[in-house]
Amino acid sequence: HMGHFYLTSKLMPTILRTPGRPRIVNVTSVAHEWGHIDFENVNSDGMLGYPAAGWLTYGRTKLANIYFTYELHRRLREFGGDGGHVDVNCVHPGIVDTEIPRSLSVNFYPLLKSIGGLITPEEGARGQIDVATGPKYEGISGKYIAEQSGPNNPGGVKGSFAIAKSSRWSYDADVAARLWERSKVMTGAAWDSIGETK
């Protein structure tokens, strides 16, 4: 999350000057559904961090990506002017056949692969590419777009994407705003391009 946050802050002046409707796309995951933000341990240090509870930590980071997406959308619309023409969304690419679980204590990918539960990297990339460049998402902002064949949509078509509901926790605007402020402190990111002071 912190990398997304900092990089976007650095690119924002250029994004705001870009003609048309520039798009920001954050990659998240269905794993956000088991995440929560621990403001006492934002980096997930210690025993309950990545080594012992990797999937929970991964879920936290993916939830943070969604909070960032929703909060950036809100702040851009509040800023108005050039910010009103920037669209920001997040995409769950699907459960993709990659090496993501290679260093986690639990790796259920071989089982998922054996039952046809994974999609190819090419299928997973479709959503990000479509949200970034496709006409279907022109003028759409502040949304969670999800691959449609996962556990929340049995029988869905692999590699197809649609706007979906993220977890109920992800809509907590107070947590999103608090995470934004904590992220500014932790990264030193400046958002003066959208009217914020340090």
Side-chain angles (χ1 to χ4, degrees):
H1 158 71
M2 296 298 176
H4 290 68
F5 186 86
Y6 184 77
L7 177 62
T8 306
S9 76
K10 289 295 197 184
L11 294 173
M12 190 55 66
T14 301
I15 292 168
L16 291 171
R17 290 192 304 269
T18 301
R21 292 199 72 91
R23 302 181 197 185
I24 298 167
V25 180
N26 294 311
V27 179
T28 187
S29 170
V30 69
H32 82 275
E33 292 182 2
W34 60 72
H36 73 283
I37 304 300
D38 180 358
F39 284 102
E40 302 304 314
N41 188 12
V42 174
N43 284 331
S44 297
D45 294 323
M47 184 59 186
L48 293 179
Y50 196 77
W55 282 112
L56 293 177
T57 300
Y58 183 70
R60 286 186 202 110
T61 65
K62 298 295 106 181
L63 178 60
N65 295 148
I66 294 176
Y67 279 134
F68 172 51
T69 298
Y70 293 167
E71 187 65 9
L72 179 57
H73 165 78
R74 186 190 69 75
R75 288 173 188 251
L76 284 167
R77 294 308 180 266
E78 186 176 90
F79 176 62
D82 291 334
H85 80 283
V86 177
D87 296 326
V88 55
N89 295 293
C90 55
V91 179
H92 160 53
I95 305 174
V96 183
D97 189 4
T98 65
E99 294 295 315
I100 246 178
R102 69 188 170 277
S103 59
L104 297 171
S105 56
V106 175
N107 182 358
F108 50 83
Y109 273 39
L111 173 62
L112 286 175
K113 189 170 187 170
S114 73
I115 61 171
L118 298 179
I119 64 172
T120 67
E122 293 79 11
E123 289 169 327
R126 286 181 193 157
Q128 296 154 69
I129 293 167
D130 199 23
V131 173
T133 64
K136 178 179 177 181
Y137 295 102
E138 180 75 23
I140 302 294
S141 188
K143 300 298 181 188
Y144 169 70
I145 293 102
E147 198 271 336
Q148 296 296 293
S149 72
N152 291 340
N153 194 14
V157 177
K158 288 185 175 186
S160 66
F161 292 80
I163 295 172
K165 286 276 188 192
S166 52
S167 71
R168 65 186 176 117
W169 311 112
S170 68
Y171 296 101
D172 189 325
D174 291 336
V175 173
R178 186 177 174 194
L179 180 62
W180 180 279
E181 294 304 323
R182 176 67 67 87
S183 301
K184 280 172 57 176
V185 169
M186 292 179 74
T187 64
W191 290 90
D192 51 318
S193 60
I194 60 170
E196 290 194 11
T197 56
K198 287 200 172 196

